Amino acid sequence: MTTTHGGSLSTNAPTPTQAAPVETTTDDDGFDLLHKDTVYHLLQNERRRLALRYLREIEPETDLGEMAVQVAAWENATTTEEVTSDMRQRVYIALYQSHLPKLAEEDVLEYDKNRKVIRRSEAAAQLDRYLTLDDRPDAATEPTEADSTAHVAVTAVGLLVLLASQVSAGFT
């Protein structure tokens, strides 16, 4: 309710401090789909992305200690054998206190904080397409076949433009 010069005005619109209700939709299997703002929020942090990648690529169910070592290795562009206890501890604490509970809150993973067991949920598949670009520090930088094809196509177009400009200059 908004008050104006001695009178009152009723409104159903959300105030700036209230969030508009978010409609939920489901996929063909009846699972709730994540709202795109939720997806962006969950994936804005590199540690959360790396934790999700770990569950997808390495182990769909793991304990926090193993995940922390691998995430620390990825973050520091090193091997798991080279991860120091300080590196591991920084990642472990952040995952334990913040990142894993946030992902569990959105049902992207199941997280037993007491047993420190993490399990990928079916909802995590909704995020997989956003994790396909490998942004880890140790990711391979070799060009892919698609990169090579794009390079050839751009080069060919450039040569055609050059040839067309030369032919055009010859006619003037």
Side-chain angles (χ1 to χ4, degrees):
M1 178 149 328
T2 307
T3 304
T4 61
H5 301 292
S8 64
L9 177 66
S10 176
T11 177
N12 290 332
T15 64
T17 58
Q18 294 175 326
V22 176
E23 294 182 29
T24 55
T25 55
T26 56
D27 65 6
D28 294 337
D29 297 323
F31 293 105
D32 286 341
L33 295 174
L34 295 170
H35 188 270
K36 78 175 176 181
D37 290 338
T38 301
V39 170
Y40 295 149
H41 178 69
L42 292 176
L43 298 179
Q44 77 183 14
N45 183 277
E46 181 184 28
R47 279 196 180 140
R48 286 195 290 269
R49 292 191 306 270
L50 293 175
L52 290 167
R53 184 171 281 134
Y54 181 92
L55 293 172
R56 187 187 69 196
E57 293 178 5
I58 302 196
E59 285 293 328
E61 182 174 342
T62 190
D63 69 54
L64 180 55
E66 290 177 21
M67 178 185 280
V69 170
Q70 182 60 65
V71 170
W74 284 335
E75 285 183 355
N76 292 284
T78 190
T79 65
T80 55
E81 293 80 21
E82 300 282 325
V83 170
T84 67
S85 64
D86 284 344
M87 290 175 191
R88 179 190 170 279
Q89 187 174 12
R90 278 193 302 273
V91 172
Y92 185 99
I93 290 170
L95 288 173
Y96 178 80
Q97 292 180 342
S98 176
H99 302 304
L100 296 176
K102 189 173 300 273
L103 292 166
E105 183 179 302
E106 297 298 336
D107 296 322
V108 172
L109 55 80
E110 297 170 24
Y111 176 45
D112 184 335
K113 200 169 186 174
N114 295 327
R115 292 181 42 228
K116 298 172 185 69
V117 175
I118 304 118
R119 183 176 307 111
R120 177 181 158 94
S121 75
E122 292 187 35
Q126 296 176 52
L127 303 175
D128 286 348
R129 66 181 165 159
Y130 302 104
L131 299 173
T132 56
L133 298 175
D134 203 342
D135 60 356
R136 288 178 295 194
D138 66 341
T141 56
E142 293 295 316
T144 64
E145 186 176 329
D147 293 334
S148 299
T149 302
H151 180 73
V152 169
V154 168
T155 303
V157 168
L159 288 173
L160 287 173
V161 169
L162 180 63
L163 180 62
S165 68
Q166 293 298 319
V167 168
S168 172
F171 288 121
T172 54

